[in-house]
Amino acid sequence: MHFTCRTFQRSKSLVNQVRNKKRLKVLFFGTDQFALSTLKSLHHETGLENGCINNLESCCSKMKDLVPPVKSYCSQHHIPHHNWPPCTTLCRKFDIGVVSSFGHMIPTEIISSFPLGVFNVHGSILPKYRGAAPIIHSLLNGDNKTGVTIMEVKPNKFDVGDILASKEIDILPEDDRPKLTKRVGEIGAELLIEVLNDLDGYLMDKRQQDSSKITYGNKTSVRVSHQVLFSG
């Protein structure tokens, strides 16, 4: 069997990580149902003997009239929770930050507080639909396919970082916003765990986004279609 240099390095990285596996300390940033899929997978991983995570805490914004799904889950499962924004002293206690459907720009000082960086679970195949509500935009535009991307978070702009992994899926005729959000969220959560279990290898293989394929969603069209897409 023949290996390319990169494949061999990736395989060697995985072997070394299994032999000397360091379980990660993770601070999670998220709010809604899409984010909850990622949080649940991270929480499940903490309970596995050979899991890649040994400490998990979360952070999200205060909301006046409701409790965000992420905060509710943390309360039910005794996961320490912090209000946004966290101090850099807190962030330095963790190896990485994980972001999923959060809605806040992560400041440079917070990103740099994590030794291994901050990673985002984004609900599209980047660089398509950078920014908010990518799943809604895929439905509004009648797309046949969508997907999820695990990427590095960079300061000052949303969704511009290098891609570690992505996975494409078909949009089914029966898919509405809740159904598609659930599927993409669950696939993204699974893909994130794969990445975290071989983070060195995925970082070695990361790639820049293709600037010729960048698209952004239309905020006006999201507001107009809110009632239709958020039913069900």
Side-chain angles (χ1 to χ4, degrees), residues 123-125 134 138 144-148 167-171 180 184:
S124 77
I125 302 296
S138 67
N144 294 319
K145 295 182 181 294
T146 186
V148 67
K167 187 171 183 178
E168 187 177 82
I169 65 168
D170 292 328
I171 297 178
L180 189 57
V184 175

Side-chain angles (χ1 to χ4, degrees), residues 4 7 15 24-25 54 64 66 68 76 82 86 88 92 99 107 111 117-118 134 148 157-158 167 171 189 192:
T4 64
T7 302
V15 169
L24 299 168
K25 298 176 182 178
N54 73 346
K64 286 186 177 181
L66 56 88
Q76 294 170 16
H82 309 275
T88 55
R92 291 190 187 100
V99 179
I111 295 172
V118 180
V148 67
K157 291 185 179 181
F158 283 112
K167 187 171 183 178
I171 297 178
L192 173 69

